[in-house]
Amino acid sequence: MGSDASITSDERRSSADYSRSEIFRRITWSMVGVLFVLSPRLLYGWRNLLLRCFGARIGSRVQIYPSVRIFAPWALTVGDRVTIGDRVTVYNVGAIEICSDVCVSQNAHLCAGSHDYRRSDMRLMRMPVRIEPNSWICADAFVGPGVTVGRNAIVGARSAVFRDVKPDSIVGGNPAVFLKKRWGDDESAAIQRKAA
């Protein structure tokens, strides 16, 4: 469709953003997901098992809280020793990878999808998000489509990130800007040697 073409809401709804297989998995997850939401807070292993049953790759010692909203478990990869706190939204129409030793604090929003505003049918765009090891996504932060948050980085509370975050940096604001390095150069080098 041309950029100046108009489209009705019925045509937009019929646009093929999802395959039949994805629609089936979404319906099934929406029903089974009740078992995830209603599980007691400390049953991390149970929730991890449910996510794995739907294709998620979940590492060891992962703590995902029952109020976390996960759009598509089959597009989620989580490393070891990760915590995903209360009321986090994982909107993974595109793949989301959360590497090891990451903390995603309460009410954060990881968004791996958008719509192509240049098209009249506003087709879905799947844009992966990657949170690299030892990073912290603070409370109420938004990490947008296509963003990589670098190793050891911190995204400050209530920040909105639309560009990649460099390793060892702290960003904040809306839109997020560089605030300072997480550690001095000597500390950073020592941490890298220890992690190697």
Side-chain angles (χ1 to χ4, degrees), residues 23-84:
I23 291 169
F24 175 77
R25 285 186 288 179
R26 286 178 61 198
I27 291 168
T28 307
W29 172 241
S30 69
M31 292 185 295
V32 175
V34 172
L35 300 173
F36 181 99
V37 172
L38 296 179
S39 61
R41 185 181 185 110
L42 295 177
L43 289 185
Y44 302 116
W46 166 248
R47 289 186 292 278
N48 293 343
L49 174 64
L50 282 176
L51 291 170
R52 287 182 185 115
C53 287
F54 277 83
R57 290 162 299 283
I58 308 289
S60 63
R61 296 172 56 198
V62 171
Q63 297 182 334
I64 300 176
Y65 285 55
S67 57
V68 172
R69 292 182 301 170
I70 298 170
F71 182 79
W74 49 91
L76 178 64
T77 301
V78 179
D80 300 328
R81 300 170 302 280
V82 169
T83 298
I84 304 177

Side-chain angles (χ1 to χ4, degrees), residues 11 47 56 77 80 131 139 160 170 194:
E11 289 171 321
R47 289 186 292 278
T77 301
D80 300 328
I131 313 297
I170 300 174
K194 186 177 177 182

Side-chain angles (χ1 to χ4, degrees), residues 86-89 104-110 137-142:
D86 277 322
R87 299 173 304 281
V88 168
T89 298
V104 183
S105 293
Q106 63 272 17
N107 297 308
H109 188 138
L110 309 180
I137 310 302
C138 295
D140 292 309
F142 176 86

Side-chain angles (χ1 to χ4, degrees), residues 2-28:
S3 60
D4 59 345
S6 61
I7 188 167
T8 67
S9 59
D10 286 340
E11 289 171 321
R12 171 66 194 107
R13 282 189 205 105
S14 68
S15 179
D17 284 335
Y18 299 102
S19 69
R20 287 179 192 235
S21 168
E22 284 178 301
I23 291 169
F24 175 77
R25 285 186 288 179
R26 286 178 61 198
I27 291 168
T28 307

Side-chain angles (χ1 to χ4, degrees), residues 71-185:
F71 182 79
W74 49 91
L76 178 64
T77 301
V78 179
D80 300 328
R81 300 170 302 280
V82 169
T83 298
I84 304 177
D86 277 322
R87 299 173 304 281
V88 168
T89 298
V90 179
Y91 185 61
N92 55 337
V93 292
I96 289 183
E97 180 179 5
I98 302 170
C99 297
S100 296
D101 301 303
V102 166
C103 177
V104 183
S105 293
Q106 63 272 17
N107 297 308
H109 188 138
L110 309 180
C111 179
S114 187
H115 294 276
D116 188 348
Y117 65 88
R118 296 164 297 188
R119 293 176 53 124
S120 60
D121 61 356
M122 300 270 294
R123 287 301 297 271
L124 182 67
M125 298 190 305
R126 300 166 191 257
M127 304 166 73
V129 168
R130 178 178 165 86
I131 313 297
E132 295 193 340
N134 200 37
S135 297
W136 178 18
I137 310 302
C138 295
D140 292 309
F142 176 86
V143 178
V147 168
T148 295
V149 175
R151 179 183 290 267
N152 302 318
I154 296 175
V155 175
R158 298 214 163 180
S159 298
V161 178
F162 302 102
R163 293 190 174 138
D164 290 352
V165 177
K166 291 183 179 176
D168 301 311
S169 62
I170 300 174
V171 300
N174 183 1
V177 295
F178 174 79
L179 299 176
K180 63 180 182 177
K181 292 196 75 157
R182 184 171 180 181
W183 296 293
D185 290 335

